Amino acid sequence: MAAKMSSTEIPRRKFLVAGSLSVAAACLNPKRLFAQEDALVQKAFKVAAATKLTVQPLRRNVTVLLGPGGNIAVLTGPDGKLLVDAEIFTAQPHVAEALASINGDPIKQLINTHWHFDHTGGNAWLHEAGASILAQENTRKHLLVDTRVEGWFHTFPASPPGALPTTVFKEDHTVHANNSTLVLKHYLPAHTDSDISVHFTEADIFHAGDTFWNRNYPFIDYSTGGSIDGQIRAAEANIAKVTDKMIVIPGHGAVGGKADLLLFRDVLAGIREKVAALKKQGRTLNEIIAAKPGAKTDAEWGNGFKTGDEFVALVYQGV
Ligand SMILES: [Zn+2]
């Protein structure tokens, strides 16, 4: 289960820190908003084009691909490859290389954990390569039309027909493939309104999508149904579901287990309580940021995707 370390970690972190800083600047200084427009998304495309993925075998026939976008789970066997999530579209050559390094079997199925570009960006080419696409119905709904994410200052254009999920479900769905049973479950609105978990029951591996960021502050997409309280509620649901024996794949960060889910819930809930109390006292966002509600975790958790200050701003928006 030990991760093969890779040189890709360093450039990814550099990008994310740089991207995060520009978002923070835009948040704190609205006049600069236009100039900073979607720098983070544009940078993500560039970094994904230049970053190799790390291939980490987990248990039985499940492997995880760790890269600059969302973590991809790969289930192998006689039915061909089944993927959970599809990375950023510019990661295509690196995803293809990583998949080929597992075996030469064709790509047959793709499940999206939610609609975001760093999880669905590869839908079109994977569909062309032979995958049918399955997702919660809100994933299809958002991909069908131009969709603005205020937190990224970016409007994502409607996806081409080939990138759209061909099968959707509302709450629960079961997939049988490669002598495995996959149980899919929709969360109540959490990180978005389209989040699902995928449990590989025989391997006992749980992909939580972006309801779980391992030792990283999460992005929360208020534009498509996400909220801090929803994110915490999903963390509670994961804790209730996951056993000590399960391997847990986060949307972002290293593969973990139940203890990491507990920590994630505690960190989010702790910061939420502090921010809510200060906001209730009438403190401004800048005053609350200066109070450093995440002082204990900022150095580690704010080092990648969201700085501590940006995460406080996301929490402030929802309490
Ligand atoms: Zn996401």
Side-chain angles (χ1 to χ4, degrees):
M1 247 197 73
K4 278 187 241 165
M5 286 318 288
S6 127
S7 59
T8 61
E9 281 294 303
I10 291 154
R12 189 190 71 170
R13 290 239 150 199
K14 269 187 190 154
F15 136 60
L16 290 159
V17 170
S20 297
L21 287 174
S22 65
V23 173
C27 284
L28 299 173
N29 184 354
K31 268 183 278 180
R32 291 189 58 198
L33 224 165
F34 188 72
Q36 296 294 333
E37 178 130 21
D38 80 354
L40 186 144
V41 171
Q42 297 305 336
K43 196 84 195 247
F45 292 148
K46 280 184 199 155
V47 170
T51 308
K52 285 193 181 294
L53 306 191
T54 301
V55 178
Q56 182 185 353
L58 293 181
R59 192 151 61 197
R60 288 175 70 116
N61 50 343
V62 180
T63 299
V64 69
L65 311 183
L66 306 162
N71 292 329
I72 296 176
V74 185
L75 177 76
T76 55
D79 302 321
K81 293 191 184 96
L82 178 150
L83 273 63
V84 178
D85 280 346
E87 260 285 354
I88 296 165
F89 83 96
T90 49
Q92 176 180 348
H94 307 297
V95 175
E97 186 190 345
L99 290 172
S101 79
I102 299 171
N103 64 39
D105 293 348
I107 303 158
K108 299 303 279 186
Q109 294 188 70
L110 168 62
I111 298 168
N112 295 137
T113 61
H114 63 295
W115 80 273
H116 279 159
F117 79 109
D118 51 332
H119 301 256
T120 60
N123 278 19
W125 79 264
L126 286 164
H127 173 75
E128 211 155 293
S132 59
I133 307 176
L134 168 68
Q136 203 277 336
E137 62 182 13
N138 291 333
T139 291
R140 187 169 198 275
K141 192 182 87 182
H142 295 308
L143 293 177
L144 260 176
V145 296
D146 294 359
T147 302
R148 175 85 182 161
V149 177
E150 290 301 335
W152 286 329
F153 315 110
H154 189 86
T155 301
F156 295 88
S159 296
L164 295 171
T166 44
T167 306
V168 295
F169 66 95
K170 230 182 193 19
E171 296 304 330
D172 301 281
H173 194 83
T174 305
V175 173
H176 298 280
N178 293 329
N179 305 315
S180 300
T181 309
L182 281 62
V183 175
L184 284 54
K185 194 165 175 47
H186 183 215
Y187 292 90
L188 291 168
H191 165 76
T192 67
D193 61 8
S194 61
D195 305 303
I196 62 164
S197 58
V198 180
H199 184 209
F200 299 88
T201 54
E202 289 80 3
D204 208 15
I205 294 171
F206 187 80
H207 196 318
D210 278 2
T211 69
F212 174 39
W213 299 52
N214 199 359
R215 288 165 201 268
N216 282 288
Y217 289 134
F219 175 62
I220 300 169
D221 183 2
Y222 287 89
S223 295
T224 60
S227 67
I228 179 60
D229 287 347
Q231 191 90 50
I232 292 170
R233 179 175 55 199
E236 297 284 3
N238 288 337
I239 289 164
K241 166 79 192 173
V242 168
T243 67
D244 292 335
K245 290 177 189 159
M246 278 190 203
I247 294 172
V248 185
I249 303 173
H252 302 271
V255 173
K258 183 154 192 169
D260 303 298
L261 285 172
L262 288 164
L263 179 65
F264 181 69
R265 186 270 316 268
D266 290 347
V267 168
L268 264 56
I271 293 173
R272 187 228 178 266
E273 286 320 305
K274 284 179 193 160
V275 172
L278 291 167
K279 191 174 179 182
K280 211 172 166 192
Q281 290 168 19
R283 305 282 190 87
T284 65
L285 173 58
N286 282 340
E287 286 168 347
I288 297 174
I289 286 172
K292 293 279 170 211
K296 274 189 275 181
T297 39
D298 281 355
E300 185 187 4
W301 290 53
N303 202 21
F305 300 90
K306 287 274 146 201
T307 67
D309 293 356
E310 285 165 0
F311 183 62
V312 167
L314 281 174
V315 173
Y316 179 89
Q317 196 178 338
V319 296

